[in-house]
Amino acid sequence: MQLDISINKFNWIPSVLQVSPSGGMAAATTLTVQVGQCGNQIGPELFRVVNDSIPQNSFIDPSGKCRAVCIDTEDKVVKASKFGTGKLQYRDHNIVCGHFGRGSNWAMGYHMEEKYGYRAEESFLSICMDRIRKEAERCDCFMSTLMMHSLAGGTGSGVGSRLTEEIRELFPNRFIVSAVVAPLTMGENPMQSYNSLLCFNHIYNSCDQVLLLKNDDFSSKFDPEKVKGAKEGNGLGFTKINNQFALDLVGILLPTDTNALTSSSSKNISIGMEIPELIRSVCPMSDLRLTCLDGIHREKADNFDKLFSNLGVKYKSNLKLREDESSSYQCISAVAAVRGNGSHACSLQNATNRLSFLKFSPWNPFPLDLWNSKSCISGYTKSLTVCSNSSASNQYLQDVWSRARLKYDHGAYLHWYEKYGCEKDHFEEAFDDLASTVAAYRDAVKT
């Protein structure tokens, strides 16, 4: 089959596409790394939806195995996750479990050396990286890593940070996107502000894009008793939240007609370029890499104008900005993925107008990219997902900074971090870097 690439927006495709061992073209592939309880609860749901929607994609290999490595410091959640992917399976040796948890402590998760005074697992990090390397080597054209973990837990924040840095060192020329889940603002972990501060500092310096998924955006829509019940075993509240996170991730990362090549028979062929193109579109400035996802997925055949209107309502309800910033936020860039019958009728100009609630920056002449796909997410007839890079995220960053700073100035819980190798200089560097990120977003939207 010959491909028509005479007019090609991927000006770097020749250096990306490779010839597979079978002689055909090898599409770019994505390796998913699920870390901690949060990552290993969202991951199976993501793979289930991906496989039900488009079986041939960059996340699943031809044998039907998930291109994923599941990592946790305890085995309860990570072993159960392999049963939640439907017909798909994880490779058994890609499920890596430690022998004890990380005590909701970033430092205990990040540092794994015995000198820090606890029963360290010296081989845990090397085993994790060995599994990641081998899974990447199975890919004909390994292009991207999708990290999934929390910002607040000891394993998700600490081990997730360390693995992200190690992956960057191992694959310096490949893309890394971290989908991180921010805890409830009034969470039960008193050290979550420290963990979020330190984790964000490390992954922001190692990733090409950070996708921030906030529990606060969904918690108000569910019965508090169900959310509470998730800790008691029934998991109804957080199961629905994780399902929504997975749907939004699938909505933006599944193959689209826009990012496909056209064969001589006019058939669209996915080449797995969604993550590289997403980074190119929403992170045009290297120091501004924090993005958010908002999605509307409908089982009934709503028209797309209604989906845009509903998304606007959802976005504004989640945008709980302080009064002094309510009129100053701007969206630097965004991607809108429209899926379902009639999606190709949506024009870029119409989408830009309907997404005016994002408040696009006036200095960017092309703030929005529109992706279309005739096929939709399994179980839905129409879907709209928007990934935006906006200074509105400064509210979350400032909240993390101020909550962590208040504890730090009073010396609260610092001994738990110092015990595992996290000194005060480490905190000061994280505070400075986070403040620099906030300042960079403020400077970017100055008019």
Side-chain angles (χ1 to χ4, degrees):
M1 181 181 295
Q2 296 182 345
L3 299 177
D4 179 13
I5 55 174
S6 56
I7 301 178
N8 184 6
K9 71 174 182 177
F10 307 118
N11 56 10
W12 44 299
I13 275 184
S15 64
V16 171
L17 297 183
Q18 301 177 5
V19 177
S20 68
S22 62
M25 184 185 68
T29 55
T30 299
L31 169 61
T32 301
V33 180
Q34 305 167 192
V35 185
Q37 177 177 335
C38 179
N40 284 294
Q41 288 176 336
I42 296 176
E45 182 63 23
L46 181 141
F47 278 105
R48 184 191 65 79
V49 177
V50 164
N51 187 61
D52 289 347
S53 302
I54 303 179
Q56 295 182 349
N57 56 75
S58 63
F59 295 91
I60 302 170
D61 71 16
S63 68
K65 299 285 187 180
C66 301
R67 287 192 174 105
V69 179
C70 308
I71 298 168
D72 203 351
T73 51
E74 296 177 298
D75 62 3
K76 182 177 180 180
V77 174
V78 70
K79 285 187 175 180
S81 68
K82 70 177 183 177
F83 299 110
T85 54
K87 298 178 182 179
L88 296 173
Q89 291 183 347
Y90 294 106
R91 290 185 173 85
D92 289 339
H93 57 271
N94 281 359
I95 298 177
V96 184
C97 303
H99 300 296
F100 59 92
R102 292 302 185 262
S104 299
N105 187 326
W106 177 90
M108 191 176 181
Y110 183 83
H111 295 292
M112 302 180 192
E113 293 80 13
E114 190 173 345
K115 66 180 181 180
Y116 292 116
Y118 70 101
R119 186 167 56 90
E121 298 171 289
E122 294 286 357
S123 62
F124 185 68
L125 178 62
S126 61
I127 292 174
C128 292
M129 292 307 301
D130 179 67
R131 300 294 190 271
I132 292 171
R133 176 184 59 80
K134 288 181 178 178
E135 187 61 35
E137 290 174 349
R138 288 190 184 93
C139 304
D140 291 331
C141 184
F142 170 57
M143 181 54 57
S144 312
T145 301
L146 175 64
M147 302 290 298
M148 290 191 292
H149 57 94
S150 72
L151 282 174
T155 302
S157 66
V159 177
S161 300
R162 185 67 176 269
L163 289 175
T164 303
E165 292 176 339
E166 297 289 336
I167 292 171
R168 171 55 69 204
E169 183 176 348
L170 182 62
F171 303 111
N173 298 321
R174 295 298 181 260
F175 299 102
I176 302 177
V177 173
S178 273
V180 293
V181 178
L184 296 170
T185 302
M186 304 305 293
E188 298 180 6
N189 179 5
M191 298 189 293
Q192 69 181 34
S193 57
Y194 282 160
N195 293 341
S196 297
L197 170 77
L198 295 166
C199 178
F200 183 84
N201 178 52
H202 280 258
I203 64 173
Y204 201 75
N205 291 327
S206 301
C207 293
D208 299 286
Q209 179 182 353
V210 176
L211 272 170
L212 183 64
L213 310 172
K214 293 186 287 186
N215 276 325
D216 281 337
D217 289 350
F218 300 99
S219 61
S220 61
K221 299 178 177 64
F222 299 111
D223 186 346
E225 290 301 316
K226 290 182 179 180
V227 175
K228 180 181 177 182
K231 296 182 177 295
E232 299 172 353
N234 63 38
L236 292 176
F238 283 114
T239 297
K240 290 186 178 180
I241 293 176
N242 291 337
N243 178 264
Q244 186 63 45
F245 286 154
L247 283 175
D248 290 347
L249 286 169
V250 169
I252 203 70
L253 297 179
L254 268 186
T256 60
D257 299 337
T258 306
N259 293 321
L261 294 181
T262 303
S263 68
S264 56
S265 61
S266 299
K267 181 181 178 180
N268 289 331
I269 300 177
S270 171
I271 55 173
M273 296 298 293
E274 277 66 34
I275 283 184
E277 280 297 297
L278 182 66
I279 295 171
R280 179 192 67 82
S281 298
V282 299
C283 300
M285 304 169 70
S286 60
D287 55 343
L288 305 176
R289 303 189 296 278
L290 180 60
T291 60
C292 294
L293 278 180
D294 295 278
I296 295 289
H297 318 284
R298 291 288 181 258
E299 297 177 5
K300 296 182 179 180
D302 296 272
N303 58 58
F304 283 106
D305 285 340
K306 188 173 182 179
L307 260 63
F308 278 103
S309 298
N310 291 342
L311 187 66
V313 173
K314 177 182 177 181
Y315 183 86
K316 292 175 183 177
S317 68
N318 291 336
L319 199 63
K320 302 167 184 175
L321 295 174
R322 299 183 181 89
E323 292 182 2
D324 62 338
E325 292 188 1
S326 60
S327 60
S328 61
Y329 79 88
Q330 292 179 12
C331 179
I332 297 167
S333 54
V335 166
V338 185
R339 300 179 184 275
N341 290 331
S343 63
H344 286 267
C346 296
S347 67
L348 178 61
Q349 185 60 52
N350 181 54
T352 303
N353 293 337
R354 297 308 303 266
L355 293 174
S356 60
F357 57 83
L358 293 176
K359 297 185 179 180
F360 293 114
S361 296
W363 53 261
N364 187 352
F366 307 105
L368 179 69
D369 274 6
L370 181 65
W371 296 354
N372 307 91
S373 176
K374 294 178 182 178
S375 61
C376 194
I377 300 172
S378 176
Y380 299 88
T381 58
K382 286 183 169 58
S383 170
L384 169 63
T385 311
V386 174
C387 180
S388 59
N389 188 342
S390 172
S391 64
S393 298
N394 263 359
Q395 180 209 3
Y396 173 76
L397 299 181
Q398 288 175 313
D399 284 345
V400 169
W401 191 97
S402 60
R403 289 173 184 271
R405 191 79 212 190
L406 182 62
K407 287 185 172 67
Y408 179 81
D409 288 342
H410 287 81
Y413 305 110
L414 290 181
H415 62 289
W416 286 109
Y417 290 81
E418 293 171 352
K419 179 179 179 180
Y420 300 114
C422 186
E423 303 295 337
K424 290 186 177 181
D425 289 347
H426 203 146
F427 278 96
E428 292 293 348
E429 180 183 350
F431 281 123
D432 290 344
D433 287 352
L434 190 60
S436 297
T437 301
V438 171
Y441 270 100
R442 284 178 175 169
D443 291 342
V445 299
K446 283 183 178 178
T447 56

